[in-house]
Amino acid sequence: MAETLNTQFGIKGQLVFNADASGLIVAEIDNVLGSASLCLQGAHLMTWQPKSQAVPVVWLSRDTKPAVGKSIRGGAPVCWPWFGAHATESAFPGHGFARTVPWRVIESGTEPDGATRLTLRLVASDKTRIQWSHECNVDLTVIVGETLRMEMTTENTGSTDFVIGEALHTYFQIGDIGQVRVTGLDGCEYWDKVGGSNLRRQEGGISFSGETDRVYINTGATCVIHDDELNRRIHISKSGSLSTVVWTPWVEKANKMGDMGQPEGWREMVCVESVNAIENVVKVAAGTTHTLIVEYRAESV
Ligand code: TA6
């Protein structure tokens, strides 16, 4: 499988496909601008480090062990075709099935600036159709360079409209959760998911002193992670997304999850997720497409 992919889509000195210990196929990207790794299962970008940064920008748990059918802790999980718990089926997986099923490579190439482009398509199956019967294509294009761009496109190829929830649920590497602030959401309403679900309004920047799980709604804003320990800012811009989720599990939830990396891996990550959820779920009319785009840039200060 890896050999065939290398023949068809490999790019000498830039993009190679390997099978990992569990048999999953991982695309390894390394070009003059940056490096990344992406597991074909779930089209799951696991790591990204621009050449200008001494520390990765996307966080991956030291404890994560990619396995068939299992979600990976960290990176940029693809949440689709719903975000969070399924509206009616409690047995369906949280954040949808897209991140734990096979995707296939449909295109690769090199951008004019030397960045590496890779496009994957979700492989529908009897299993996925039980949870989602609509005819559609879901593609993820990843462009790895000095910036990281990801474009998730849902094409409704059927004859009836459908509604999706979705996210690029990205974990960002930081020095310490107590030393970061997230700006860009001042004045936005959000659903505070800690201790229930309460609608509140953000005042100023976001700093962290406990479990934080917020779904900001009706916002297309660019967010910035200000990291005073790593002396850098991470700019998170997006289009086609009207919700932003900001999440840290903090110590108790992290210990319960058990895969956040010991001793305190949870202190080295924060999620700023580009989402369409709750009031912002998206109706994709028959015969149309919807695209969610993110672009990440790290700036040393
Ligand atoms: O996006 C935040 C969140 O919904 C949290 O509530 C937490 O559940 C997190 O996602 C991780 O979810 P996962 O299914 O990947 O363990």
Side-chain angles (χ1 to χ4, degrees):
M1 169 75 163
E3 219 172 291
T4 312
L5 285 166
N6 284 316
T7 306
Q8 264 191 300
F9 300 106
I11 304 174
K12 196 167 168 25
Q14 208 181 104
L15 168 60
V16 66
F17 298 89
N18 296 308
D20 75 3
S22 62
L24 291 174
I25 302 290
V26 177
E28 301 289 351
I29 294 169
D30 190 6
N31 59 48
V32 291
L33 301 168
S35 61
S37 61
L38 181 142
C39 183
L40 266 54
Q41 174 179 274
H44 195 130
L45 180 110
M46 298 191 289
T47 61
W48 170 58
Q49 184 170 353
K51 292 291 196 268
S52 65
Q53 292 295 314
V55 175
V57 177
V58 169
W59 176 87
L60 184 69
S61 168
R62 287 186 287 273
D63 286 354
T64 203
K65 293 177 187 57
V68 173
K70 194 171 162 298
S71 61
I72 295 167
R73 181 64 64 199
V78 172
C79 304
W80 188 96
W82 60 83
F83 181 82
H86 187 276
T88 56
E89 302 290 340
S90 57
F92 286 5
H95 291 329
F97 52 79
R99 60 178 170 168
T100 55
V101 299
W103 292 56
R104 63 187 171 85
V105 179
I106 58 172
E107 194 269 338
S108 68
T110 305
E111 296 285 290
D113 66 354
T116 306
R117 185 186 64 252
L118 184 60
T119 299
L120 301 100
R121 176 165 292 176
L122 188 147
V123 178
S125 64
D126 293 346
K127 188 170 164 246
T128 62
R129 287 193 188 94
I130 289 168
Q131 298 183 17
W132 182 258
S133 59
H134 302 285
E135 286 308 307
C136 62
N137 287 321
V138 199
D139 292 354
L140 182 75
T141 294
V142 178
I143 300 177
V144 175
E146 178 59 25
T147 62
L148 176 67
R149 181 179 174 94
M150 293 190 281
E151 305 175 3
M152 177 157 66
T153 297
T154 299
E155 178 191 10
N156 184 342
T157 55
S159 53
T160 53
D161 303 351
F162 57 64
V163 172
I164 58 170
E166 59 182 347
L168 290 170
H169 187 303
T170 307
Y171 292 68
F172 291 96
Q173 178 100 35
I174 54 175
D176 181 86
I177 192 68
Q179 306 292 324
V180 299
R181 262 178 322 115
V182 174
T183 60
L185 295 167
D186 182 21
C188 292
E189 279 192 303
Y190 65 91
W191 290 101
D192 184 348
K193 313 298 279 179
V194 176
S197 188
N198 299 292
L199 191 60
R200 307 185 197 284
R201 188 177 295 279
Q202 182 62 37
E203 287 175 24
I206 307 163
S207 50
F208 303 92
S209 57
E211 182 186 355
T212 305
D213 191 351
R214 301 176 182 177
V215 183
Y216 290 83
I217 53 175
N218 305 322
T219 172
T222 292
C223 291
V224 181
I225 300 171
H226 302 257
D227 186 335
D228 294 343
E229 184 154 314
L230 294 182
N231 297 314
R232 74 180 176 188
R233 284 193 276 261
I234 302 173
H235 299 261
I236 300 153
S237 54
K238 64 174 189 174
S239 65
S241 155
L242 282 179
S243 318
T244 295
V245 171
V246 177
W247 176 60
T248 172
W250 215 256
V251 56
E252 213 174 299
K253 183 155 188 181
N255 288 342
K256 266 195 210 127
M257 290 162 66
D259 61 358
M260 294 297 287
Q262 294 307 328
E264 293 190 310
W266 61 273
R267 296 198 67 95
E268 298 162 5
M269 54 67 62
V270 66
C271 278
V272 179
E273 307 159 31
S274 300
V275 182
N276 284 303
I278 313 179
E279 288 90 332
N280 300 134
V281 292
V282 176
K283 183 177 93 168
V284 186
T288 69
T289 63
H290 157 76
T291 301
L292 185 162
I293 299 175
V294 296
E295 186 138 3
Y296 306 142
R297 178 172 62 85
E299 173 198 12
S300 298
V301 291

